Amino acid sequence: MTKALFRYQDRLINRLDLIDDADSEALIHKLASVTTPSTVAFLNQHAYNLAQEDPRLQQGFAEMTYLLRDGIGIKWACQLNGREPKANMNGSDFIPRLVNHLLEVTPCDYQFFAMGTRDPWLEKGAENLFKHHRFHAVDGFQPAETYLDYIRGHLDPTRVPVILLAMGMPKQEELARRIQTTINGPALIICGGAILDFAANRVKRAPLLFRKSGMEWLYRLLKEPRRLASRYILGIPRFFYYLARNGMVSRQAR
């Protein structure tokens, strides 16, 4: 525990499941053997901003089975709120590790779904991520009921569904919660953002130096300035405003 700048912790930052590098393998094994419908989401600076502007999304993040820290912004937020940030569990690295584990152990125990982006990136990304094991795929531009009906119609009761949602926030988080309440029995529902685009090489990952230093966001901004200017150039000041506002609210609540 580090010394907190804010006397009371931010609700969403306090909700995070903070994992040491040494414990990440244990988490992967735990996720591989879920016994109930379980959701996994990643909280980064952009997600935090969206949650401040949408109370339903904030509640959705709070109700995730596992909510992992993603990025340097949330690292700073943890430190401001007196929490040890531990490892950066960004989905672009963690999700392939998790899927590889599922495929290496007993792939026949799992049923894979990929929902997000569009073809040809959907098929290519899912093929690369699932190592050409059989999967069911739907693009990321359908209404929620279409995904729910598709899952109901394709579920194999003898296998654990692994449902990867890669359609961006907040759609994927809202859908994850709905799927969770629809499925009876074990299931793993993962909010993956751009993971299928990364897997399809549609979007290139930042060089290792950027990733190790927590500056992958800067690389992505430099590569796609028009699309990401609002998220970072405007979003980063807004992020610190929300952190400060929430800290002041906490102090006034004493």
Side-chain angles (χ1 to χ4, degrees), residues 9 11 16 59 63 71 75 85 95 99 106 116 122 126 147 161 168 175 184 188 197 203 205 216 233:
Q9 292 179 358
R11 178 187 179 222
L16 283 165
Q59 185 63 32
E63 293 176 355
K75 175 182 179 179
I95 293 171
V99 171
T106 50
L122 170 58
Y147 300 109
L175 182 57
N184 296 316
L188 189 55
D197 288 323
V203 178
R205 292 293 306 278
E216 187 167 5
I233 295 176

Side-chain angles (χ1 to χ4, degrees), residues 215-226:
M215 301 298 286
E216 187 167 5
W217 67 269
L218 179 58
Y219 177 84
R220 293 188 65 194
L221 175 61
L222 294 173
K223 295 291 287 185
E224 300 181 86
R226 293 183 63 183

Side-chain angles (χ1 to χ4, degrees), residues 215-247:
M215 301 298 286
E216 187 167 5
W217 67 269
L218 179 58
Y219 177 84
R220 293 188 65 194
L221 175 61
L222 294 173
K223 295 291 287 185
E224 300 181 86
R226 293 183 63 183
R227 188 175 76 84
L228 297 177
S230 176
R231 178 178 299 191
Y232 295 122
I233 295 176
L234 301 178
I236 290 175
R238 199 159 66 241
F239 172 69
F240 285 106
Y241 162 74
Y242 288 136
L243 286 178
R245 182 195 66 179
N246 292 343

Side-chain angles (χ1 to χ4, degrees), residues 199-217:
N201 295 315
R202 180 187 188 187
V203 178
K204 290 186 177 181
R205 292 293 306 278
L208 190 59
L209 178 63
F210 281 84
R211 287 147 59 185
K212 289 285 188 181
S213 62
M215 301 298 286
E216 187 167 5
W217 67 269

Side-chain angles (χ1 to χ4, degrees), residues 13 16 32 62 76 98 119 138 166 224:
I13 300 303
L16 283 165
W76 292 334
L98 172 59
D119 281 327
V138 183
E224 300 181 86

Side-chain angles (χ1 to χ4, degrees), residues 62-121:
E63 293 176 355
M64 290 290 169
T65 312
Y66 297 94
L67 182 63
L68 305 179
R69 177 180 79 78
D70 179 357
I72 194 169
I74 303 300
K75 175 182 179 179
W76 292 334
C78 288
Q79 292 168 336
L80 288 171
N81 284 275
R83 299 199 69 191
E84 175 60 44
K86 300 189 178 179
N88 180 24
M89 301 293 290
N90 72 83
S92 302
D93 292 321
F94 183 73
I95 293 171
R97 285 180 58 199
L98 172 59
V99 171
N100 285 342
H101 175 79
L102 301 179
L103 295 175
E104 288 170 1
V105 182
T106 50
C108 60
D109 290 345
Y110 302 99
Q111 182 183 21
F112 298 100
F113 292 82
M115 298 181 166
T117 194
R118 68 178 78 219
D119 281 327
W121 316 111

